[in-house]
Amino acid sequence: MWKNLYAAAQKFKELQPWEILDGTDLFGVRDPVSGETGYGLVMGSGGTVFGFCLYLGAGGFHVFQGLMEGDIDPVRDDIFAIQNCLKLELGPRADLEREDHAVIRQLGLTFKGNHAWPEFRSLLPGFVPWYLTEGEARFLTLALTAARHHAGRIVSGDVTDSIRDGECLVYIAAAGSETKYAAGWEPWPAAERRPVAPLPLVLARLTALRAKKLKPDTPWEAGVFYLPSPILDYERPYFMRLATVCQESSGHSFEFELMTPGKMPHQALADAICSSIEKSGFLPETIFVRSAEEVAALRPLANALGSNIRWRKNLETIQAVKEAMFEQMVRGGGR
């Protein structure tokens, strides 16, 4: 399996497909085992990062689409922690980790050049880029082979585009073959709409809050963002999320709520909002969050408290808190 992956990466590099395809030439590849569709993109036409990215399923596709259309801001939306893809990067030997070198030595391989050493990684939302599983390695091997096939068809004039309004060209490997493909246009995958889990309200806590003589306050912002430092106490290293509540006018942060991978964001926001009211003695007239989904999840809480909840795309106070925290983490070495 790993030998096939490295061989596919070497053939991909020798073709130099970034001379043929640019950063918008997305094409689909169907995994014959899982039935999942990945969306491949050759990296390198800009002359900086060379390699290949396979966005997985609807979630991966819509991150790519959001980046291309400007709906996802790489900084505000924590691009380092939201992607769902498999990636090959071709770089210098010094960029590889000890585990990468161990596999290369075991296979008896060697590479020369600044953009010659392959690094394979799996990126899952909320998790640190990690080493491939056997299933991921198999799918990425297939996709790299399909990328070479697609680039050859572009050169020969067999195809001119792989993506158009509402459709993507998808390759399906012929049974028993690693080099022959059927290709057809398929609709872009529909955006994933997961139902919002009901928010459990702690009646005793709400009763206690309503019994207090709370002072009315100007709008608050409540948001969740990822912290860039890896956490290692899980089977796969992950990025901790932080829910925070701020007073919009002053920028004061009332509360911070750390989230492990299993906790739902709207539950963490609800806990942070309640804690902020308890500690401050204030009840905001309006609480702003970042999405309509968060509004739907938190509306029962807002109704119970007698506050309004609304959404807007950019929460400037939350963003300022986030940037200050990131800067402090950089100065402190992520500790």
Side-chain angles (χ1 to χ4, degrees):
M1 175 60 66
W2 304 108
K3 187 175 182 180
N4 291 341
L5 177 60
Y6 277 90
Q10 183 64 21
K11 292 177 181 178
F12 173 87
K13 173 187 169 293
E14 290 170 354
L15 180 64
Q16 296 191 329
W18 46 82
E19 300 290 343
I20 304 167
L21 305 169
D22 65 27
T24 62
D25 290 323
L26 196 76
F27 63 91
V29 185
R30 182 75 35 75
D31 182 354
V33 176
S34 69
E36 181 177 40
T37 302
Y39 298 88
L41 185 73
V42 171
M43 303 183 296
S45 62
T48 52
V49 178
F50 295 85
F52 180 78
C53 187
L54 183 67
Y55 294 99
L56 299 176
F61 176 88
H62 287 288
V63 168
F64 164 80
Q65 187 180 44
L67 288 168
M68 293 297 100
E69 296 181 357
D71 294 330
I72 292 178
D73 183 303
V75 176
R76 288 180 180 270
D77 295 307
D78 301 331
I79 192 63
F80 67 90
I82 67 170
Q83 296 194 74
N84 188 6
C85 63
L86 306 178
K87 187 178 288 188
L88 158 69
E89 284 197 28
L90 296 162
R93 186 180 189 277
D95 283 356
L96 300 185
E97 299 291 340
R98 192 171 48 203
E99 291 82 354
D100 301 311
H101 287 296
V103 174
I104 290 171
R105 284 195 301 271
Q106 184 179 5
L107 294 174
L109 302 174
T110 187
F111 307 95
K112 294 182 180 180
N114 286 332
H115 303 295
W117 292 79
E119 178 189 85
F120 305 103
R121 291 293 183 268
S122 164
L123 283 71
L124 294 177
F127 290 88
V128 174
W130 204 238
Y131 308 104
L132 303 185
T133 65
E134 288 193 6
E136 290 171 335
R138 176 189 48 74
F139 193 12
L140 186 54
T141 300
L142 173 67
L144 287 168
T145 307
R148 290 172 40 236
H149 175 77
H150 177 63
R153 295 186 71 200
I154 293 286
V155 171
S156 68
D158 220 17
V159 295
T160 56
D161 298 302
S162 58
I163 194 165
R164 59 193 185 193
D165 188 25
E167 292 185 313
C168 181
L169 188 63
V170 176
Y171 289 95
I172 303 173
S177 173
E178 297 180 354
T179 58
K180 295 181 180 180
Y181 299 86
W185 290 96
E186 297 186 5
W188 292 351
E192 295 177 323
R193 299 291 182 189
R194 296 180 181 176
V196 178
L199 180 68
L201 299 178
V202 181
L203 296 180
R205 190 178 196 185
L206 291 175
T207 300
L209 282 174
R210 287 195 294 256
K212 288 186 176 184
K213 294 181 179 180
L214 299 173
K215 300 174 184 178
D217 199 11
T218 54
W220 290 3
E221 294 179 2
V224 174
F225 56 85
Y226 285 98
L227 299 176
S229 296
I231 305 297
L232 307 178
D233 62 357
Y234 202 66
E235 59 188 23
R236 174 172 174 164
Y238 64 93
F239 296 110
M240 186 77 77
R241 281 185 291 185
L242 189 69
T244 188
V245 179
C246 303
Q247 186 184 49
E248 193 175 73
S249 58
S250 68
H252 173 71
S253 298
F254 293 109
E255 182 68 10
F256 295 99
E257 177 92 13
L258 286 171
M259 299 171 53
T260 55
K263 189 161 187 179
M264 296 299 294
H266 63 275
Q267 181 63 62
L269 284 174
D271 292 342
I273 289 169
C274 289
S275 295
S276 297
I277 296 171
E278 289 166 345
K279 290 179 179 180
S280 70
F282 288 102
L283 178 64
E285 179 184 352
T286 302
I287 303 171
F288 288 102
V289 293
R290 278 204 67 187
S291 71
E293 289 77 15
E294 289 175 344
V295 168
L298 294 170
R299 193 178 299 282
L301 174 64
N303 290 341
L305 293 171
S307 187
N308 297 314
I309 188 150
R310 298 169 58 189
W311 78 274
R312 61 186 176 203
K313 185 175 181 180
N314 294 324
L315 302 179
E316 299 300 341
T317 308
I318 296 289
Q319 183 65 22
V321 169
K322 173 182 169 182
E323 290 174 0
M325 190 171 290
F326 279 25
E327 184 178 346
Q328 185 178 10
M329 292 176 72
V330 170
R331 288 201 305 266
R335 296 187 298 272

